[in-house]
Amino acid sequence: MASSEVTQVSTNKMFGGYQKVYSHESKETKCTMKFGIYLPPQVEEGKKLPVLYWLSGLTCTEQNFITKAGAQKAAAEHGIIIVAPDTSPRGCNIEGETDSYDFGAGAGFYVDATEEKWKTNYRMYSYVTKELPEVISRNFPALPDKQSIFGHSMGGHGALICALKNPGQYKSVSAFAPISNPVSCPWGLKAFTGYLGDNKENWEEYDACCLVKKYNGPPLSLLVDQGKADNFYTDGQLLPENLVKACAESKMPIISRLQEGYDHSYYFIATFIEDHIKHHANALNA
């Protein structure tokens, strides 16, 4: 099932398939990276399957999604491989990389850093959009031309920018409580200044609200769920209304749902994960 390029860390049978974790040496991040991969039961039948990539949020690893989201049952039903990488490089011994929860380890923000201290290792954008899909295609029964992407919070930001910056690469995109407009929120200001420097034009290359205005590719329907009881929503970190406005101005289709009573946690994600997987299954199996 997998070549010597990747090393199996764990395997657990779920819903007729297998939830596995692998590690590999990344050329982009210059360190050992881990990713979770759910291989549904259709893999045992010799079928090649579409791939759905999940990007996690601040402080997360590959473990949060695979243990808390409850995505495997729907993935098995729809015959979709789900890949969940780590959020950032680990153990690079960069001064300050573990000083705060919202910058450095656990907070790669899915950009390719340009600032001197970070640019060698913090290349999560290229890792997610280039290297990881190549690793998956070489080592697993995946269809490289049928992939989609979704994520949560910082990972929702990552999913949106990956889809918007690469027209045609992903069949669909969705997000839970994404950091929709990072150039305008405290998390984004801190991360982008640290990773990308002071030139705000460079920041806009990693902001969904900016990217949607110049998107020029195949139709890309967006699905975004936001909990109304999410403290990061009420504190102005997420700004989903800015994304809705940018999509309206650009005539980009978006389904944006405010969910009463839900917060920023995986309880929220688990509640609506089946909706999101159906959203992607409709595109991937079309």
Side-chain angles (χ1 to χ4, degrees):
M1 177 115 5
S3 78
S4 58
E5 180 183 358
V6 295
T7 301
Q8 183 171 291
V9 176
S10 64
T11 180
N12 299 92
K13 191 165 187 178
M14 287 188 77
F15 300 107
Y18 288 89
Q19 177 62 62
K20 296 174 179 281
V21 175
Y22 286 89
S23 66
H24 73 110
E25 297 304 312
S26 168
K27 297 180 178 67
E28 288 291 352
T29 66
K30 308 292 192 296
C31 70
T32 303
M33 296 292 292
K34 287 182 180 178
F35 61 87
I37 182 168
Y38 180 69
L39 300 169
Q42 293 86 344
V43 167
E44 298 296 321
E45 301 167 10
K47 295 180 180 178
K48 280 199 162 190
L49 300 176
V51 185
L52 178 55
Y53 290 88
W54 169 269
L55 304 184
S56 288
L58 290 166
T59 75
C60 291
T61 69
E62 80 288 341
Q63 287 294 316
N64 299 73
F65 177 78
I66 66 177
T67 59
K68 295 180 179 180
Q72 293 90 346
K73 183 178 181 181
E77 290 171 353
H78 292 284
I80 295 173
I81 295 170
I82 301 186
V83 176
D86 201 349
T87 53
S88 60
R90 304 279 175 176
C92 297
N93 298 315
I94 301 170
E95 182 184 1
E97 69 180 349
T98 58
D99 285 355
S100 59
Y101 82 96
D102 55 358
F103 186 80
F109 264 84
Y110 305 102
V111 304
D112 284 348
T114 54
E115 290 297 280
E116 192 62 39
K117 194 162 75 166
W118 307 98
K119 68 180 184 181
T120 298
N121 304 102
Y122 277 68
R123 295 183 51 79
M124 287 301 295
Y125 171 74
S126 286
Y127 176 74
V128 166
T129 60
K130 297 175 185 176
E131 183 177 9
L132 185 59
E134 291 171 359
V135 169
I136 299 302
S137 293
R138 284 196 298 268
N139 289 277
F140 302 95
L143 292 167
D145 58 336
K146 286 209 166 187
Q147 56 183 13
S148 292
I149 193 164
F150 66 155
H152 170 231
S153 194
M154 178 185 72
H157 141 78
L160 291 169
I161 65 164
C162 287
L164 292 168
K165 286 169 72 68
N166 296 278
Q169 180 168 337
Y170 303 98
K171 300 296 185 184
S172 51
V173 60
S174 72
F176 293 85
I179 303 173
S180 299
N181 194 191
V183 302
S184 300
C185 76
W187 277 340
L189 295 176
K190 179 177 180 177
F192 286 3
T193 301
Y195 294 134
L196 304 173
D198 294 327
N199 186 339
K200 294 187 177 182
E201 288 186 7
N202 294 338
W203 300 5
E204 293 179 358
E205 291 302 309
Y206 295 102
D207 184 294
C209 290
C210 301
L211 292 169
V212 76
K213 294 176 182 177
K214 57 182 182 180
Y215 179 81
N216 184 20
L220 185 65
S221 179
L222 313 182
L223 170 61
V224 174
D225 270 315
Q226 173 64 60
K228 290 183 76 174
D230 183 335
N231 60 313
F232 299 118
Y233 168 56
T234 56
D235 287 350
Q237 291 279 21
L238 305 175
L239 305 173
E241 63 277 5
N242 292 6
L243 180 61
V244 171
K245 181 180 178 183
C247 286
E249 292 173 353
S250 307
K251 295 182 172 57
M252 171 72 77
I254 182 171
I255 301 168
S256 179
R257 309 189 301 193
L258 284 175
Q259 304 290 5
E260 190 71 44
Y262 287 93
D263 59 18
H264 201 69
S265 72
Y266 267 83
Y267 297 110
F268 163 56
I269 294 168
T271 301
F272 298 102
I273 193 71
E274 188 174 349
D275 284 358
H276 283 245
I277 292 175
K278 284 181 179 178
H279 170 79
H280 295 295
N282 287 339
L284 290 167
N285 296 322

